[in-house]
């Protein structure tokens, strides 16, 4: 039951139905969802199209845009800020930056548990947003000349980033995408063309793509503006801008408070999962296709068959997510090792090299609508369906290509003078070789395209495979894989100085290439299972 007015039957009907009804694990007696004309697939349906996103859905997207402006606008500056203002070495700056990334994703599990068991998604997002905002305020204060001169710079940075911002962004991240999807009515809606219906599954896919598009609009704006302010004014003013932007995002989000579909917390779902698994182990039977099958048709237990089927799919999704940490490790290089690489290249005086991260977001801003409106619909019309495993594998392969380029670029940098591999005597701290920094545009752009196939699909896959009670948990498990990438990055950070960084780039490209092949052959049969699931729905 959702937090809606029980005197309005239409609202009650809509709130009891959520996007999770598109899952096999959540099927039940068909009930109309608010905004959807039909729940079951119409007999005359020839093809489905994505519907428009509601204003209330867009308010959630705007909140995420502002949060990503704050996160990327601030965190992008950490690497150079730590080196130039707080006196940290390249290796120390890389490790501290990866610890920030680790904290931002390690807390996603906590956010999911609080949402699913105690507060619900909406209240959890608001609470963690306030914690996040406090961290941004502390970060801004600690970056003032007065604080740095008084010895509070590094301490304030650690308190703000590891104590507040890490918890805040993790708590929001684990809930906001699934909360957005829950605002989309379930079912089919007639269009003006016979045989063509709006399909809520395609609308949900569109929602996730535009959600990711908004992430990158916010990131692009933050990456473009904040480093320039830091370069030309001060870091205190540069950190203040994300603080103000995030405050605006919170105000926009709470505007829709009375109109959101808000689900009540489901209780101790993890204990329910544990009991279901324990029951399955204790009642194992011969000839089962899945070890959880023995929990089906259990009498006098708190779960039903739909929950068991959804749990089976969730466990399969977790196997898929095991391959993500190395991808995130590769992706994380943009916030530290790419920046360090750019610092050794010739560049115009007006450019702050960390701003090149904005290219990644700009490519996504342009590419996501193109893929949503042209590429993916064209592939569907041609009968070529890219299942989640094919899309994820494609993303891995694209990232490998980008990192082969990065490795070659690093080798070329070392062949150019005047400092070559930066190991000779009398090499200044800001030494650069005679090679243009604009050559870095390619890997930033390539990794952006890989995200469309890998990261967006991972969010969709987590949401679609989980039963209603586990959506936040499974989404947070997917996001938690970033922690593995951050841990890998912390270890590799030991060798992040010149000239060892060349081998770090090469190793990541080779290992991710091998894992991409292994991943495809391990999970390619999942695409057929997902297609069958969608056909059933």
């Amino acid at each position: 039951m959702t937090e809606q007015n029980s005197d309005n039957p239409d609202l009650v009907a809509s709130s009891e139905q959520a996007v999770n009804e598109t899952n096999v694990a959540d099927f039940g007696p068909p009930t109309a969802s608010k905004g959807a004309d039909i729940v079951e697939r119409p007999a005359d349906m020839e093809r489905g199209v994505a519907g428009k996103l509601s204003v209330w859905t867009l308010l959630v997207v705007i909140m995420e845009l502002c949060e990503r402006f704050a996160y990327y606008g601030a965190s992008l500056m950490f690497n150079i800020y730590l080196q130039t203002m707080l006196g940290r070495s390249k290796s120390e700056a890389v490790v501290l930056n990866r610890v920030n990334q680790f904290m931002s994703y390690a807390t996603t599990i906590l956010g999911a548990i609080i949402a699913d068991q105690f507060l619900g998604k909406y209240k959890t997002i608001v609470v963690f947003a306030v914690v996040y905002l406090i961290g941004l305020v502390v970060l801004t204060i600690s970056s003032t000349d007065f604080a740095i001169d008084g010895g509070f710079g590094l301490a304030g940075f650690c308190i703000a980033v590891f104590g507040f911002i890490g918890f805040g962004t993790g708590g929001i991240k684990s809930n906001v995408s699934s909360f957005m999807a829950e605002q989309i009515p379930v079912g089919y809606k007639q269009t003006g063309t016979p045989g063509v219906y709006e399909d809520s599954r395609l609308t949900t896919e569109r929602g996730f793509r535009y959600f990711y598009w908004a992430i990158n609009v916010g990131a692009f704006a933050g990456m473009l503006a904040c480093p320039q302010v830091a370069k030309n004014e001060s870091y205190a003013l540069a950190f203040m801008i994300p603080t103000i932007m995030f405050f605006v995002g919170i105000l926009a989000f709470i505007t829709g408070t009375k109109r959101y579909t808000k689900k009540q917390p489901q209780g101790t779902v993890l204990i329910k999962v544990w009991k279901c698994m324990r029951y399955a182990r204790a009642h194992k039977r011969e000839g089962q296709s899945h070890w959880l099958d023995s929990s089906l048709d259990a009498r006098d237990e708190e779960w039903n068959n739909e929950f068991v089927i959804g749990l089976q799919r969730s466990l399969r999704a977790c196997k898929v997510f095991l391959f993500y940490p190395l991808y995130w490790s590769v992706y994380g290089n943009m916030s530290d090792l790419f920046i360090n690489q750019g610092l050794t290249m010739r560049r115009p005086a007006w450019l702050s090299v960390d701003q090149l991260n904005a290219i990644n977001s700009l490519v996504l801003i342009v590419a996501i609508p193109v893929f949503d409106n042209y590429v993916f619909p064209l592939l569907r019309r041609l009968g070529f369906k890219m299942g989640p495993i094919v899309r994820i594998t494609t993303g891995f392969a694209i990232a490998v290509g980008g990192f082969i380029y990065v490795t070659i670029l690093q080798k070329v940098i070392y062949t150019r003078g005047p400092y070559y591999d930066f190991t000779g005597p009398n090499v200044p701290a800001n030494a650069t070789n005679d090679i243009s920094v604009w050559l870095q545009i390619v890997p930033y752009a390539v990794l952006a395209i890989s995200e469309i196939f890998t990261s967006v699909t991972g969010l969709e896959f987590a949401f679609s495979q989980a039963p209603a009670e586990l959506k936040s948990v499974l989404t947070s498990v997917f996001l938690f894989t970033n922690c593995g990438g951050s841990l890998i990055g912390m270890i590799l950070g030991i060798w992040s100085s010149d000239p060892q960084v060349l081998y770090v780039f090469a190793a990541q490209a080779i290992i991710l290439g091998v894992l991409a092949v292994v991943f495809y052959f391990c999970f390619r049969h999942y695409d057929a299972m997902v297609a069958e699931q969608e056909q059933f729905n």
Side-chain angles (χ1 to χ4, degrees):
M1 189 71 166
T2 61
E3 298 173 7
Q4 298 281 356
N5 186 347
S6 59
D7 295 330
N8 188 328
D10 291 334
L11 291 179
V12 172
S14 71
S15 61
E16 288 181 342
Q17 304 296 319
V19 173
N20 57 66
E21 290 182 25
T22 62
N23 299 327
V24 172
D26 303 315
F27 69 84
T31 305
S33 177
K34 182 182 177 183
D37 297 332
I38 307 166
V39 171
E40 294 183 330
R41 182 185 176 93
D44 65 335
M45 180 174 172
E46 297 177 4
R47 65 183 179 90
V49 296
K52 294 182 179 179
L53 301 178
S54 70
V55 173
W56 317 114
T57 305
L58 293 176
L59 284 176
V60 183
V61 173
I62 291 171
M63 156 74 164
E64 182 66 3
L65 184 153
C66 294
E67 189 274 330
R68 290 291 88 182
F69 180 103
Y71 180 81
Y72 283 106
S75 64
L76 181 63
M77 298 185 288
F78 289 170
N79 191 50
I80 296 179
Y81 173 69
L82 287 164
Q83 294 180 52
T84 59
M85 301 299 294
L86 302 183
R88 302 299 99 185
S89 68
K90 280 186 178 181
S91 296
E92 289 172 335
V94 168
V95 170
L96 286 171
N97 187 58
R98 293 303 177 105
V99 172
N100 164 55
Q101 294 174 11
F102 177 86
M103 288 296 300
S104 297
Y105 289 97
T107 51
T108 56
I109 299 291
L110 176 65
I113 292 173
I114 291 175
D116 285 348
Q117 299 187 24
F118 302 107
L119 299 180
K121 292 184 181 68
Y122 174 77
K123 291 181 180 178
T124 300
I125 291 170
V126 172
V127 168
F128 278 95
V130 172
V131 172
Y132 194 155
L133 188 62
I134 293 171
L136 288 170
V137 172
V138 174
L139 178 64
T140 302
I141 294 172
S142 70
S143 64
T144 60
D145 292 338
F146 177 80
I148 293 174
D149 293 341
F152 185 64
L154 184 60
F157 175 86
C158 293
I159 291 169
V161 174
F162 307 145
F164 288 94
I165 295 175
F167 279 91
T169 189
I172 293 172
K173 195 181 295 290
S174 58
N175 293 289
V176 69
S177 62
S178 55
F179 184 74
M180 177 277 299
E182 287 175 357
Q183 309 312 308
I184 299 173
V186 177
Y188 302 91
K189 187 173 183 179
Q190 290 180 321
T191 67
T193 305
V196 179
Y197 289 79
E198 291 182 7
D199 186 337
S200 62
R201 292 170 299 174
L202 298 179
T203 307
T204 301
E205 286 184 18
R206 166 169 285 179
F208 275 110
R209 278 195 283 272
Y210 278 90
F211 180 85
Y212 212 79
W213 181 82
I215 287 175
N216 287 282
V217 170
F220 174 75
M223 291 172 179
L224 210 59
C226 296
Q228 273 298 313
V229 174
K231 183 178 177 68
N232 297 311
E233 299 295 335
S234 69
Y235 275 99
L237 182 59
F239 286 132
M240 185 186 297
I241 294 172
T243 305
I244 295 172
M245 188 68 172
F246 187 50
F247 179 72
V248 171
I250 295 173
L251 292 180
F253 182 68
I254 62 177
T255 300
T257 300
K258 295 182 179 180
R259 299 298 300 269
Y260 292 135
T261 297
K262 293 180 285 186
K263 292 188 170 185
Q264 294 282 10
Q266 301 290 326
T268 54
V269 66
L270 294 180
I271 294 177
K272 181 177 178 179
V273 169
W274 167 249
K275 288 180 179 178
C276 182
M277 290 180 172
R278 187 176 61 181
Y279 182 94
R281 290 295 187 189
H283 297 80
K284 189 175 181 179
R285 299 189 297 264
E286 294 293 332
Q288 295 179 173
S289 59
H290 192 283
W291 64 274
L292 279 173
D293 284 351
S294 48
S295 290
L296 295 170
D297 300 320
R299 296 188 177 186
D300 301 323
E301 298 293 345
E302 58 185 294
W303 62 84
N304 56 22
N305 288 355
E306 290 77 16
F307 180 83
V308 176
I309 295 170
L311 182 57
Q312 290 175 352
R313 289 208 321 271
S314 298
L315 292 176
R316 285 195 290 266
C318 288
K319 294 178 183 178
V320 170
F321 299 156
L322 287 174
F323 283 75
Y324 268 82
L326 188 64
Y327 174 79
W328 293 129
S329 175
V330 166
Y331 180 84
N333 283 269
M334 288 191 297
S335 64
D336 41 52
L337 294 188
F338 281 19
I339 294 173
N340 288 343
Q341 184 186 67
L343 289 170
T344 66
M345 304 172 75
R346 187 183 71 252
R347 58 192 180 276
W350 58 265
L351 178 70
S352 180
V353 293
D354 45 8
Q355 285 185 289
L356 288 177
N357 274 266
I359 293 168
N360 177 272
S361 296
L362 179 61
V363 171
L364 283 165
I365 291 168
V366 174
I368 286 177
V370 171
F371 275 83
D372 179 63
N373 292 304
Y374 301 104
V375 177
F376 290 130
L378 176 62
L379 290 173
R380 281 196 294 268
R381 289 193 184 97
L382 294 175
F384 184 73
K385 295 183 179 180
M386 292 187 72
I389 301 305
V390 171
R391 277 183 281 162
I392 293 170
T393 305
T394 301
F396 286 168
I398 294 171
V400 170
F403 248 69
I404 291 173
Y405 179 94
V406 169
T407 305
I408 295 172
L409 177 60
Q410 188 66 51
K411 180 65 176 177
V412 173
I413 291 172
Y414 290 155
T415 64
R416 301 293 180 92
Y419 300 104
Y420 299 100
D421 64 359
F422 305 97
T423 58
N426 303 319
V427 177
N430 58 351
T432 61
N433 279 342
D434 188 21
I435 182 170
S436 175
V437 74
W438 300 118
L439 292 172
Q440 281 196 311
I441 289 176
V442 174
Y444 281 114
V446 169
L447 285 180
I449 299 300
S450 79
E451 284 183 71
I452 297 175
F453 291 92
T454 303
S455 186
V456 177
T457 304
L459 281 173
E460 287 180 22
F461 195 62
F463 184 82
S464 67
Q465 298 305 293
E469 297 164 90
L470 286 174
K471 288 192 181 297
S472 284
V473 173
L474 192 59
T475 299
S476 66
V477 169
F478 169 69
L479 296 172
F480 187 77
T481 60
N482 279 269
C483 293
S486 298
L487 286 173
I488 294 171
M490 288 182 214
I491 296 170
L492 294 177
I494 299 171
W495 300 281
S496 59
S497 298
D498 297 301
Q500 296 96 328
V501 70
L502 173 65
Y503 305 105
V504 172
F505 287 145
Q508 290 180 89
I510 293 170
I511 296 172
L512 183 59
V514 172
L515 285 183
V517 175
V518 174
F519 173 84
Y520 178 73
F521 284 101
C522 284
F523 301 115
R524 57 181 175 174
H525 62 286
Y526 279 17
D527 280 347
M529 298 169 67
V530 172
E532 183 179 353
Q533 167 193 333
E534 292 178 349
Q535 183 63 35
F536 181 89
N537 290 328

